[in-house]
Amino acid sequence: MPGSRNQHLERAGSPVRLGVRGWDDQVRRLGNAIEAIARPGGNAGSCEDAEMIIQPSRRTFLLSLSGGAGQELGMFIAPGTLVFVLLMNAPLSYAETGLASAAATLLGFLLVLPIGVLVDRVRRGPALVVTALAGATTLASFAVTTWLGWTAAPHLLLAVVLVPILWQAADLARDAYLPAAVEHGRLVPVNATVVIVAELAYWLLPGVMEQPMWWPALAAGVLAACALLFRAIGVPEEPAPPRAGWWAETVEGVRFTFAHPVLRAIAVSVVVVAMLQPLLGELVEPRGNVPSSWLGYLAVPAGAVAVWVLRRRVHVFRLAWVSLLLTQPFAFLLVLAETGWGVWWHALGTFLPLAGTTAAAVTLLSHRQVITPSRLLGRTGATLLLLVGLAGVVSSFVEVLSIYLFTLESMLSPDVRIPVYAWPVVLLSAAGLVAAALPLYRVRRLAEAPMAEPSPLP
């Protein structure tokens, strides 16, 4: 109703007002803000009215869009390139390189929650600039030493470990900063663009392997440009909350994630998808040439583009659970992968579920950014990253166990392509992907309430 909409805008501190009286009030506030800026020593930051009229604009949207896309591109290219150059140039064994990558993964698990706390303690805009510059400096030094032939194992190992941690910190800072820099209605386009760029970066990997020396320099230049883009945004941010200690702040973020009904539903859904979806692609292989190998590269951009187009017609949260319900049942088509039309059943059973989970991931991230208080965005994001990472570990363990069992079975029966024991796992995984929509469906009325405010602490 119009009345409730206006009351919501009043509570949100928005300068939008309806009616002549509201317009006059806004003009008066604008005049007061201009006078405050014009006075000697006056500035917009010291005047409450001036802060109210500073709203995200098209300029900040484009800067955020470009910066986020470039950041994802630069950070995505870096880790694989570093490992490849490390193997080619440094006198290290594959085991030592694997240990360095494992150390980066372990540190990612151990540091994700402290990084989330740090993101909530500092201003996110400068944090994005610092992480981009740190990544650019690391990669530039790597490129220079490689070009001069001065590669040293300690330097390379440090870069292999440091860059993924910077990537993690940059992702958390960007997700926490976007609600301040971009209007809520434009969060989906920015998040969708970042996902599309990350997927399209896979297409650059063959070039990375052919000319590995130049890619660190290119990634460093991209990250340096991102630092300039983030620096140019300059929107005001809410002041950081008073510090209560690392442990207390970490517990607060985790508790809020599990206590809030919508965030809890999002956490359950993304964990189920992260744990089950990788199993389907590893356990089922069709006969013949597979179009799903290139369809897989198109599934993620297709899902992101779909939510970009539909976001104005369908509520963002509704897009999430509807996309899961409509696309995940197609995973059951993988059961037909060894039939006459198995190649195409496999393509549909791979493409549509992946596109659906991508659409759900983009919309759930955008909705989480809207309903979470600004001071908790870093910690809730870190909690979800930790849960998704642990789900990935469980999925990898099941995958390794399946490969081991399949190796034993193939020794006894060389003609076997899909082991018998895999079919129950495939069916259960497909059913679990469909069930991932149920937690979201149960909280749909709460999540789809008009003009959802950042939720208070439970």
Side-chain angles (χ1 to χ4, degrees):
M1 297 177 62
S4 60
R5 179 183 176 89
N6 290 342
Q7 291 173 2
H8 172 82
L9 293 173
E10 294 276 352
R11 291 194 303 270
S14 170
V16 178
R17 302 289 187 270
L18 300 180
V20 176
R21 181 177 179 182
W23 175 255
D24 292 340
D25 181 67
Q26 182 65 12
V27 171
R28 179 181 59 80
R29 290 177 178 270
L30 179 61
N32 292 340
I34 295 174
E35 291 177 3
I37 298 174
R39 285 195 298 266
N43 57 76
S46 63
C47 178
E48 180 181 358
D49 291 325
E51 289 184 357
M52 288 187 61
I53 65 172
I54 298 176
Q55 298 294 327
S57 62
R58 182 175 179 82
R59 172 180 172 273
T60 60
F61 165 70
L62 294 176
L63 289 173
S64 302
L65 186 71
S66 304
Q71 179 192 59
E72 193 69 19
L73 179 62
M75 288 294 188
F76 180 86
I77 294 175
T81 306
L82 293 178
V83 172
F84 184 79
V85 177
L86 180 61
L87 289 173
M88 295 297 100
N89 294 276
L92 295 176
S93 65
Y94 286 93
E96 291 172 312
T97 305
L99 287 176
S101 299
T105 303
L106 180 60
L107 285 176
F109 279 112
L110 296 178
L111 297 179
V112 61
L113 292 179
I115 290 175
V117 173
L118 184 62
V119 167
D120 286 339
R121 282 185 172 188
V122 302
R123 294 175 58 198
R124 283 75 179 263
L128 284 172
V129 176
V130 170
T131 53
L133 289 178
T137 303
T138 303
L139 294 174
S141 66
F142 187 87
V144 170
T145 55
T146 303
W147 181 64
L148 295 176
W150 297 345
T151 53
H155 178 211
L156 299 179
L157 290 174
L158 180 62
V160 169
V161 174
L162 181 61
V163 169
I165 296 174
L166 289 174
W167 190 1
Q168 189 176 73
D171 277 345
L172 289 174
R174 184 188 65 238
D175 292 345
Y177 186 53
L178 279 181
V182 177
E183 294 177 358
H184 290 173
R186 289 177 169 175
L187 287 172
V188 170
V190 176
N191 292 324
T193 301
V194 171
V195 170
I196 292 172
V197 169
E199 184 64 21
L200 294 181
Y202 278 106
W203 297 359
L204 299 176
L205 289 182
V208 171
M209 300 309 171
E210 291 177 3
Q211 298 291 336
M213 304 303 177
W214 295 102
W215 288 99
L218 175 61
V222 171
L223 291 177
C226 290
L228 295 176
L229 292 172
F230 289 132
R231 179 67 180 85
I233 295 176
V235 296
E237 301 181 53
E238 294 184 10
R243 299 182 180 182
W246 288 91
W247 177 251
E249 294 175 41
T250 301
V251 171
E252 181 187 18
V254 175
R255 181 178 67 87
F256 180 80
T257 303
F258 287 102
H260 192 285
V262 178
L263 291 180
R264 184 171 61 246
I266 292 175
V268 172
S269 180
V270 298
V271 165
V272 170
V273 171
M275 184 168 53
L276 298 181
Q277 192 169 58
L279 295 176
L280 296 178
E282 295 296 332
L283 296 181
V284 180
E285 296 182 2
R287 298 182 184 274
N289 296 325
V290 186
S292 58
S293 59
W294 53 268
L295 280 177
Y297 289 110
L298 299 178
V300 172
V305 171
V307 295
W308 193 337
V309 173
L310 296 174
R311 75 187 191 281
R312 296 187 183 277
R313 299 183 178 181
V314 185
H315 191 280
V316 170
F317 191 82
R318 185 177 303 174
L319 277 175
W321 63 264
V322 168
S323 64
L324 291 177
L325 283 180
L326 292 181
T327 60
Q328 300 314 300
F330 285 93
F332 288 103
L333 293 177
L334 295 176
V335 177
L336 305 175
E338 287 198 333
T339 63
W341 291 80
V343 170
W344 297 103
W345 297 133
H346 185 277
L348 287 176
T350 304
F351 176 83
L352 291 175
L354 183 56
T357 53
T358 301
V362 172
T363 52
L364 290 178
L365 171 59
S366 303
H367 188 73
R368 178 176 67 83
Q369 290 170 324
V370 172
I371 66 173
T372 306
S374 176
R375 69 185 192 87
L376 287 168
L377 277 168
R379 284 169 281 177
T380 56
T383 302
L384 291 177
L385 277 182
L386 179 62
L387 294 175
V388 169
L390 293 176
V393 171
V394 175
S395 179
S396 299
F397 175 77
V398 175
E399 179 184 331
V400 170
L401 180 61
S402 301
I403 293 175
Y404 174 73
L405 295 176
F406 175 67
T407 302
L408 293 179
E409 187 170 348
S410 62
M411 292 173 62
L412 300 176
S413 179
D415 295 333
V416 173
R417 293 183 60 83
I418 303 178
V420 175
Y421 68 86
W423 290 117
V425 178
V426 171
L427 292 174
L428 290 175
S429 298
L433 290 175
V434 177
L438 297 182
L440 305 177
Y441 181 80
R442 292 181 60 185
V443 298
R444 69 190 186 283
R445 297 187 184 278
L446 177 62
E448 296 173 14
M451 303 288 291
E453 289 270 2
S455 304
L457 286 172

